[in-house]
Amino acid sequence: MKKLYIIILALTMSLVSCDQWLDIEPEYAQDAENFFNTEEDFQRAVIGVYDLMQTNYLQIWIGEIASDNSIAGGESVNDTQGLHEIDNMVHGGVNNELRDVMRFNYSGIARANFIFENQDKLDFPAKERLLAEVSFIRAYFYFTLVNYFGDMPLIVDRRISINEVTQVERTPKEQIYAQIEQDLDRAIEVLPWTNPEVGRITKGAAMALKGKVLLYQQKFSEAAQVLDELITTNQAGYALFTDMNNMWLAINQNTSEDVFTIQHSGLQGGDYGCLVCLQGNPAPGFHAIRNYVGPLYGDGNSYNLPTQNLYDFFGNDPRREVTILDLEAFIAAQPNPSDISFAIGGGGHTGYYNNKYIKRNDERGLPDDDLTSPLNYRAIRFADVLLMAAEAFAQTGNDSRARTELNKVRQRAGVPDITSSGTQLLEDIYSERRLELSGEGYRFWDLVRTGKAAEAISGFQVGKHELFPIPQVEIDLAGGRWSQNPGY
């Protein structure tokens, strides 16, 4: 395989065979063991770690489809069957999408560990900053894995040999969280608030992710402390983007609201056989309207369709139109509605589409624009930071501060302030997260961590569906040493 360096994902014995970032001239002139001899080598390897974050489309799909926010959709129930199984809460150990989550995140971890394994080969001024960026990204990969699967093998700062694969045990999630926090602390200590190269990880991104990690562990006091520091210090100038209605256009990316953003471009990189190879974001094309001919929007694959439940939840909140495209209403409002046409996929239809991540005619990538949207993935935006802070303050009895941060978000939306306290205030914050963040891939995790999944998700079984199953093929490749998650 043609690679800048060859990384074997020993845990899954899987190879990512996509030459996304670099061409090698001549081919095979370098291999893993004679790399890391120059600063440029380190810089290029770090780009390779960033690269694996571009599999974020899985976060958007699974985080929404597993919840009450959307259905799988698509051409048929056999079109990306794994998403339909997750939608219906009948997923098991054989599921391509869940296997991709595990493979892609461990591939990213392997790339990060390979850099740390060679960190002492060379010194140069930017090395500590680069290693801090990689620490953050490794923390992000492990945080994703522990949310999906719970206990997972923890490998740090080294590759493992093929002979070790069947000897690796699952590590208790508490130890994984400790490593995640350690990596994020390193990033917070070293990284600057801003970086002239757009898309690089910064101190603010590391603080925001640490706040989220602490919140997910119900370490509310610690979460409140780090999120308070981020909000009050804020040397990066984070702020809510004023024009909520146009915030999700490509021209309004990388603004003051973007704290941690995964960058995409309109370049191809891969195809349907290798979505991990893409440079563009495939989610907007997959979310777009099937066989659509009309103004503003492009045609696509009708995945991840918002539910009637979500549409009704908004009521008259103006964020409904920001979040959800009501296609029939949109068509009826056009000057020539009879000229507009579209098709309904056999995988389900609600009449609604994800209006945050959707293909628009003036935002098409090249050459297959179903796969190459230039829309970035806003992994953590400042509105999320404020709502996480509000939750952490409410959980620690500081209702006044919780209302302050919550109402900043509501004021931007143009809706009345919340005046509640105690248990009702917490419920209002949870509701606000759905109003503000739907369509972005957070909903399932919010329901699980707050204990509300069973009442919101049809078919959800307490004690089982809080975690996803370990892919059976990975259990087999590990020599059968790993027990499956409960209930699967």
Side-chain angles (χ1 to χ4, degrees), residues 383-397:
D384 191 9
V385 170
L386 297 175
L387 293 177
M388 288 191 293
E391 183 178 341
F393 285 123
Q395 289 281 11
T396 53

Side-chain angles (χ1 to χ4, degrees), residues 207-253:
M207 295 175 73
L209 183 57
K210 185 177 181 183
K212 187 172 186 177
V213 166
L214 294 169
L215 198 67
Y216 274 49
Q217 297 176 82
Q218 299 187 353
K219 295 180 177 180
F220 299 120
S221 179
E222 294 175 57
Q225 182 177 357
V226 70
L227 292 168
D228 174 53
E229 182 181 354
L230 172 58
I231 293 167
T232 56
T233 306
N234 195 8
Q235 294 183 33
Y238 299 123
L240 297 174
F241 188 70
T242 304
D243 187 358
M244 177 183 68
N245 294 311
N246 292 313
M247 182 172 66
W248 295 94
L249 301 179
I251 59 173
N252 291 324
Q253 299 189 127

Side-chain angles (χ1 to χ4, degrees), residues 27-273:
E27 295 184 19
Y28 318 116
Q30 287 183 308
D31 61 27
E33 306 312 320
N34 63 24
F35 200 63
F36 294 109
N37 294 317
T38 68
E39 178 177 351
E40 183 183 9
D41 289 346
F42 276 90
Q43 293 278 7
R44 293 158 78 188
V46 170
I47 289 173
V49 182
Y50 273 91
D51 181 29
L52 263 297
M53 289 198 296
Q54 289 189 327
T55 59
N56 52 75
Y57 61 89
L58 289 166
Q59 292 293 97
I60 303 175
W61 292 348
I62 296 174
E64 296 296 309
I65 291 168
S67 79
D68 52 349
N69 271 3
S70 69
I71 67 170
E75 183 178 7
S76 73
V77 294
N78 295 317
D79 185 17
T80 317
Q81 183 177 349
L83 294 179
H84 286 275
E85 294 170 352
I86 291 170
D87 185 7
N88 295 314
M89 288 286 124
V90 296
H91 49 278
V94 180
N95 185 293
N96 288 336
E97 282 61 51
L98 294 176
R99 190 186 183 201
D100 281 347
V101 169
M102 185 170 174
R103 286 194 305 158
F104 296 161
N105 283 279
Y106 268 122
S107 292
I109 290 166
R111 293 184 181 190
N113 285 344
F114 187 40
I115 293 173
F116 285 117
E117 185 178 329
N118 289 275
Q119 63 182 316
D120 295 329
K121 288 186 67 175
L122 186 71
D123 286 321
F124 53 92
K127 187 174 83 168
E128 288 305 310
R129 176 181 61 80
L130 292 177
L131 293 177
E133 292 177 20
V134 174
S135 293
F136 172 98
I137 301 172
R138 181 171 65 184
Y140 176 69
F141 291 142
Y142 269 125
F143 183 53
T144 301
L145 287 168
V146 80
N147 281 328
Y148 274 86
F149 305 115
D151 300 347
M152 294 298 289
L154 177 64
I155 309 297
V156 179
D157 293 356
R158 69 184 185 93
R159 296 167 291 170
I160 62 174
S161 72
I162 198 68
N163 295 325
E164 293 179 88
V165 171
T166 57
Q167 304 302 314
V168 175
E169 303 285 359
R170 295 175 68 183
T171 304
K173 64 181 181 180
E174 293 78 13
Q175 294 181 33
I176 302 175
Y177 271 124
Q179 179 62 47
I180 291 169
E181 291 182 35
Q182 180 179 321
D183 276 346
L184 291 175
D185 285 340
R186 179 178 188 173
I188 292 168
E189 180 181 356
V190 173
L191 293 177
W193 281 99
T194 60
N195 192 307
E197 188 173 357
V198 174
R200 291 278 185 181
I201 302 301
T202 61
K203 181 188 294 289
M207 295 175 73
L209 183 57
K210 185 177 181 183
K212 187 172 186 177
V213 166
L214 294 169
L215 198 67
Y216 274 49
Q217 297 176 82
Q218 299 187 353
K219 295 180 177 180
F220 299 120
S221 179
E222 294 175 57
Q225 182 177 357
V226 70
L227 292 168
D228 174 53
E229 182 181 354
L230 172 58
I231 293 167
T232 56
T233 306
N234 195 8
Q235 294 183 33
Y238 299 123
L240 297 174
F241 188 70
T242 304
D243 187 358
M244 177 183 68
N245 294 311
N246 292 313
M247 182 172 66
W248 295 94
L249 301 179
I251 59 173
N252 291 324
Q253 299 189 127
N254 297 314
T255 68
S256 60
E257 184 148 349
D258 295 317
V259 179
F260 167 33
T261 299
I262 298 171
Q263 304 291 311
H264 288 280
S265 77
L267 301 177
Q268 182 84 0
D271 52 33
Y272 282 97

